[in-house]
Amino acid sequence: MAEPLTYSERDTGQASRPCIHVCVTCRKAEGIDGPMGGNLHDAILASAEGHNVDVRKVECLSACSSGCTAVVSMPGKWAWLLGRLTPEKSDDILEYLKLYEASRTGTVMPSKRPASLSDMVLGRIPASLIALQEPS
């Protein structure tokens, strides 16, 4: 897995890989031991092994009615709030991240996404707001 972004990379926009922040507090599914969001994070992290992707944990994206959620971002591109994600979709999420990285603006049309992710978009955030965020 790629090393996490440094503050200077984030501040200067020099990072060259997508980042996915996975909500690890999501508890949508019953019968799951621990937060399902944690399971989603671990599955994406395993799928991302050897790929140019930064996988991070975040607590509560305030989209609890939409199942497991995550935010995809990259300097200079739209960021996307994604929902209805499950650990079983981790390989498709990684494919989406590759398409996201290759796109000029960060927009991946629904017809280009893996079929299992057709209904995942909950919202998008302008790149200018992402550039202003404080380092974690």
Side-chain angles (χ1 to χ4, degrees):
M1 185 183 73
E3 292 296 315
L5 299 177
T6 65
Y7 294 130
S8 61
E9 286 174 323
R10 197 174 314 161
D11 294 343
T12 62
Q14 297 302 310
S16 62
R17 64 181 169 266
C19 179
I20 183 165
H21 285 85
V22 182
C23 178
V24 295
T25 57
C26 289
R27 295 183 178 276
K28 187 67 174 173
E30 292 183 28
I32 299 293
D33 186 25
M36 188 168 175
N39 296 342
L40 175 64
H41 172 270
D42 294 347
I44 294 172
L45 191 62
S47 292
E49 185 75 29
H51 293 278
N52 192 37
V53 175
D54 190 21
V55 181
R56 296 186 180 199
K57 296 178 180 180
V58 66
E59 291 192 14
C60 197
L61 291 170
S62 295
C64 301
S65 65
S66 297
C68 288
T69 57
V71 172
V72 173
S73 64
M74 194 170 173
K77 298 185 181 200
W78 284 98
W80 295 88
L81 174 61
L82 312 176
R84 296 177 284 280
L85 304 175
T86 63
E88 296 76 26
K89 296 178 181 180
S90 63
D91 288 337
D92 287 345
I93 293 167
L94 185 62
E95 181 61 29
Y96 171 79
L97 289 170
K98 291 177 192 175
L99 295 168
Y100 174 82
E101 180 180 20
S103 71
R104 187 177 62 78
T105 64
T107 299
V108 179
M109 299 307 293
S111 62
K112 303 289 185 192
R113 296 180 206 143
S116 72
L117 304 177
S118 63
D119 67 343
M120 70 174 182
V121 172
L122 302 178
R124 68 181 188 166
I125 301 135
S128 60
L129 292 178
I130 297 303
L132 296 174
Q133 75 181 359
E134 291 185 32
S136 55

